[in-house]
Amino acid sequence: MPESFVRNEQRLPTRTPESRAFAERVQLVMGLTARLNLLPFDDLDARRAVLTEIFGGPVPDSLSILPPFYCDYGLGASFGERVFINQGCYFLDFGGITIGDRVLIGPGVTLSTAGHPVEVDERFDYITHAPIVIEDDVWIGAAATVTPGVTIGRGSVVGAGAVVAKDVPGLSVVTATSIVERKRLRTPSASPPR
């Protein structure tokens, strides 16, 4: 398997029955999230019913998700008690998102467990994915992005706008974004896949 910078990364080959099943589930969940986001804000019973469909089963009564909310798979997310997810969040959960108890997620947060290989010649051949784990009592600030394979330790705070690409130790505060060149890519073949 090619080198990966993401811990626990898996690959789903494209153009297979498994990738087609994934794509069909994404279409279904995108329709469900569109329906969720059109419901009246005070129709809590209807919102809970749609969330149950999105996530493939019951969610804790103490879970609060403010619309609009976007999710692409649904079956990979699990929630602890007293989780609050503010409006405008994106959960790309194919790789698995585990959220502990008493977690606060600010507006516009993206939790992305999936992507593509970094090598140009492989990008259309696989969907890569790795789990995100958010332990108990974490607060993720507005517009933060958490990338595949990351664990955020218990009691930590992720500052607004941060890009989290490596594990956060428990009881830590992390902030900022940065560009770090990790490696140089191979020159692509003469005719990249379309």
Side-chain angles (χ1 to χ4, degrees):
M1 177 158 299
E3 177 185 12
S4 171
F5 290 96
V6 177
R7 186 182 68 232
N8 299 321
E9 181 178 271
Q10 303 291 313
R11 287 178 169 218
L12 174 66
T14 58
R15 297 177 298 280
T16 64
E18 294 80 12
S19 66
R20 282 189 286 282
F22 167 71
E24 289 169 6
R25 176 69 190 173
V26 168
Q27 292 297 314
L28 172 70
V29 172
M30 289 176 69
L32 290 168
T33 57
R35 196 167 81 202
L36 173 74
N37 294 331
L38 290 175
L39 290 170
F41 182 74
D42 59 353
D43 193 346
L44 299 179
D45 291 336
R47 283 178 35 207
R48 181 152 309 277
V50 175
L51 287 171
T52 297
E53 286 185 72
I54 290 170
F55 296 118
V59 295
D61 289 339
S62 61
L63 173 64
S64 179
I65 298 178
L66 300 186
F69 173 75
Y70 305 94
C71 183
D72 72 340
Y73 187 65
L75 301 178
S78 65
F79 305 92
E81 294 295 330
R82 295 179 57 202
V83 171
F84 175 78
I85 300 167
N86 213 321
Q87 56 191 335
C89 291
Y90 291 83
F91 282 29
L92 297 115
D93 68 310
F94 180 59
I97 296 173
T98 302
I99 299 176
D101 295 333
R102 300 170 304 281
V103 169
L104 302 171
I105 298 179
V109 167
T110 298
L111 305 179
S112 180
T113 68
H116 298 277
V118 296
E119 292 298 341
V120 176
D121 289 337
E122 298 177 349
R123 287 187 193 154
F124 289 92
D125 296 331
Y126 300 97
I127 298 169
T128 59
H129 54 96
I132 291 173
V133 176
I134 301 170
E135 296 180 353
D136 296 346
D137 301 307
V138 167
W139 174 21
I140 301 176
T145 298
V146 181
T147 64
V150 167
T151 295
I152 301 175
R154 183 180 184 143
S156 291
V157 175
V158 174
V163 176
V164 183
K166 64 180 187 174
D167 290 351
V168 175
L171 299 173
S172 299
V173 176
V174 297
T175 62
T177 61
S178 63
I179 297 173
V180 176
E181 183 175 337
R182 305 258 183 232
K183 75 180 240 181
R184 289 286 171 147
L185 301 177
R186 293 187 305 262
T187 302
S189 63
S191 56
R194 298 248 179 239

